[in-house]
Amino acid sequence: MSTGMPLEVSRGVAAFVVHPKSLLIKKGEGYELKPTALSTSFDGELVLTANVHGFAGNAGEYNERIRSHYTSPLRRDASEVPTLPPLITGTTAAGLPAPFITTAEPVPYETTASLLTTMNAALNEVNGDRKYELVDDMMLVGQQQATTHVALLRRIWEPAEDGTRRERVVVDLTATKGANRSIARQTLFGLKPFDVVFGVRPQRALWIAAGRPMGQEPPPETPIPQPERWVPALAELLRKAYEDPTHYGHHAARNATLVAVVPMQIVVGLVGKGKLEDFHSSVFDSNRGDHRRPPLEYRLIDRAAADFRALLRAYKTDELLDEAKRAWLAGEGPDPDARPRESFVDARDRRDHELFGIVFPPPDSDQARLARRVLSEPSRTQTQSKHVNNRLRMFAAAVTDGYTTRWNPRVLDGALPANAIRTTNQVIMPTWKDVRSAAADNDFGPLGEFLRVHGINWLADAGLVEADRGSIGAQAAGGDDDPDADSGLERQVRRTMSNYRLALMQKPRMAFGLLSELAHAAELNLPAREVDEHGNPVEGTAATRHWLNTTFPKNTGRKPRASGSGMSDPTPPAPPPAQPVDPATEHTQAQARFVEAVTDDLVDVMAEIFRLGENLTRAGDKAGVPPLAGSADATTEALSKALVAVRADIMSVMALLTPMTYGGATASDFQSSQSAKYAEEAAE
């Protein structure tokens, strides 16, 4: 049976297979694969299952879990650091698509080496929350589940002896399932991903795996680049070391006994899952799925990005996107519709809005139904805030490809109401061009909507806001090392994104000036400056989180306490002129303030009560008395009544969450607060 894979690629794969002829049958003057060697996976891939040497198979730098460790080619600094080369589906000599992957152009050997180094470090860093050492586990019990790989034909530009460059090709089996297991197996054999691609020194590899025994260093070796040569050389060396207790590699060979030969699944085609032209993308579907619903805990930005790329794959499969547009939106390729004379910021903003439309398509469209299926969401009428937030995180993770930093995608949690998917009205966000045009006429309405999602991303990219509100240390003016946080005052700034938006809109002209400065800084790839009250940049300054928090202070929405002293003007103030209020805007603002009051203000107050309670208890311990010793009975009674009133109100609000979400709540439900009643009685 033929897979359509070119002979030179098949030979590279066969180099890692133990007894490759056992998979073949004679046909005429040549050979074909036995039909029994092939099967169809759950994901619709044609899979060759073969026994391979345990050191076969690389983890692969295209693993979904570590994509964010690489720079997207869309970023301004992409030319300064290595980026992942876009993959394409390989072709036969006749130009027909074939079931292997490669790159459109050769990759400089320096870049390839850097990508592999980053991959090795990144996989070790994000290895997941595993309760055991995988290398030790494989040494003791072997590999319990086959890994899945695909043939990657690496095209590498490397120096030639005459001073020019030549192209070298090498077949690498890159993992789509089991990257960690592949790395662990290589470790047992003293190999690294770099060795497999650039050449193996068999004796030195085994010496490293044996723990570098003193006085037994092997003679210098020239690396063997072709797998057809180094694979049998290393296998023969392992056999000798295993049988000879005096061999420097004996213990290493013994340690690798249970993974000397392992089963491997090699994807060699597609069965009923799209066109072979899309093989370079579809072959990673299983890897993408594993990291969208991970068995181990991985970074949120990688999980959210995997969800987004899976959605793009579905759009492409259903022909709702072409490949060039999919690669651009996935951060893997250039803009297929680049516009002449368009500024960098406007081009970035245009991509951001296309990403938003992908994640929040028109509610009754084919795209919307496809998105719910890919994301395993319930019917539209049953979607909740958790589904909205998941989509916002997908959007934020995809957006970071076009920016200078990658931020926590939770920064957009709560930016849209819980009915953003259920509503029949499509979520439409203004562009930066819309904001600029309206601001020229002193209309800052679009600015408020831009700040809801896109503007928050701009602030996060500049390091002015962050999503982690659980750690007070993380909320210091510029992090734990910020000198402005030494007093401890800035460490108390814990703010939701809606609070930032409300505070910024208290000074719309200044807020517009800040976003204009962020756009200017991004255009020139410079740090952003502070702005004055008129929105003009202040030379010689740098916008920081401390500056943002002091210039646009936290708006608690609480009424100030009466001081009981000082003069006051008894003349009632003149009422402000009535301003027309858009009901939708009023509802959005009211919803944001309610959510913030519960999730921010109430939580902060309770955290402060516990902190003060801890301090009081410690003080009582030092004095040798109970914490409330010496207080009047009236004080204890007041505390008890206040806490009972607060508990009653909290239970009432909890009971009202469901009718507030799905309908049935009325304004009268909130007109009998036990806390308000207690406050009135206490005042009297």
Side-chain angles (χ1 to χ4, degrees), residues 71-84 108 111 525:
T71 301
S72 167
L74 301 178
R75 277 177 46 172
R76 290 293 294 271
D77 58 350
S79 61
E80 302 171 9
V81 291
T83 62
L84 283 176
T111 301
N525 199 22

Side-chain angles (χ1 to χ4, degrees), residues 40-58:
T40 303
S41 73
F42 177 79
D43 295 309
E45 298 167 334
L46 185 64
V47 173
L48 168 67
T49 301
N51 288 326
V52 301
H53 294 284
F55 44 76
N58 231 332

Side-chain angles (χ1 to χ4, degrees), residues 254-320:
R254 289 281 180 173
N255 289 342
T257 299
L258 296 182
V259 291
V261 177
V262 295
M264 177 181 286
Q265 295 179 331
I266 304 170
V267 182
V268 293
L270 302 177
V271 180
K273 62 164 294 185
K275 301 176 181 178
L276 192 57
E277 290 86 347
D278 294 332
F279 185 78
H280 64 282
S281 183
S282 64
V283 76
F284 289 100
D285 282 348
S286 58
N287 178 257
R288 201 169 289 125
D290 285 347
H291 295 94
R292 293 174 61 206
R293 308 289 184 268
L296 301 174
E297 190 61 29
Y298 303 131
R299 295 200 313 169
L300 176 60
I301 189 170
D302 292 310
R303 299 202 306 272
D307 265 341
F308 182 78
R309 278 191 281 268
L311 182 58
L312 287 179
R313 273 281 303 126
Y315 274 45
K316 171 63 176 64
T317 301
D318 281 19
E319 299 182 346
L320 299 173

Side-chain angles (χ1 to χ4, degrees), residues 74 106 124 137 181 237 255 263 315 332 391 453 466 491 523 540 552 569 592 595 603 637:
L74 301 178
N124 288 332
D137 187 69
R181 282 168 280 161
L237 185 62
N255 289 342
Y315 274 45
E332 299 169 359
R391 293 199 188 196
V453 172
E466 61 177 283
R491 294 183 181 277
E523 201 70 54
F552 301 94
D569 185 356
V595 172
V603 171
E637 183 180 359

